[in-house]
Amino acid sequence: MTNRKTEGGGDASRRNFVGRAAGGACLLAALPVSVVWAAPPRVEESDEMAVQLGYRHDTKTVDKKKYPRHAVTQECVNCAMWQGTPADAWAGCAMFGRKQIAAKGWCQAWAGKPA
């Protein structure tokens, strides 16, 4: 008869595996839902990319002198790079990678959605 502990470098029994798998499942179940389903981080106006693009969380606060082509009707939610639905308050953007932007926001990369 062989000794599993000496041949495999550890106890490789099926019973041990099932016990560890059940323990791991219980551990995952104990995590708060907010940790498991956490939303991606949001872009801050002070982020390097946001500063370069002149991003603002609210299109109404954009400096009109610095960005004369800006119009108040231009919002992230009606930009071609918006990756959410019209009902989303925050969603992804092609310009900001994995971070979310405000639907009412604006940056100088704004491009109208094709008709």
Side-chain angles (χ1 to χ4, degrees):
M1 186 163 239
T2 61
N3 185 347
R4 289 185 179 156
K5 286 190 177 203
T6 57
E7 283 185 6
D11 189 1
S13 72
R14 190 174 308 146
R15 185 176 303 151
N16 191 355
F17 171 78
V18 171
R20 288 183 184 197
C26 289
L27 189 63
L28 285 175
L31 287 174
V33 174
S34 61
V35 172
V36 176
W37 298 107
R42 294 179 175 177
V43 170
E44 295 298 327
E45 291 180 354
S46 60
D47 289 351
E48 183 180 345
M49 182 64 110
V51 171
Q52 290 175 359
L53 292 173
Y55 172 78
R56 294 285 175 248
H57 292 308
D58 186 352
T59 191
K60 296 174 186 168
T61 64
V62 174
D63 184 351
K64 292 173 182 23
K65 290 181 182 179
K66 191 171 182 180
Y67 304 103
R69 297 187 318 163
H70 168 262
V72 178
T73 57
Q74 297 173 344
E75 295 179 335
C76 293
V77 73
N78 59 28
C79 176
M81 292 179 249
W82 176 256
Q83 297 174 343
T85 67
D88 293 335
W90 291 82
C93 171
M95 296 303 296
F96 291 98
R98 296 176 187 240
K99 291 188 176 182
Q100 293 192 336
I101 57 169
K104 299 286 184 186
W106 181 87
C107 82
Q108 63 181 341
W110 184 90
K113 287 185 179 182

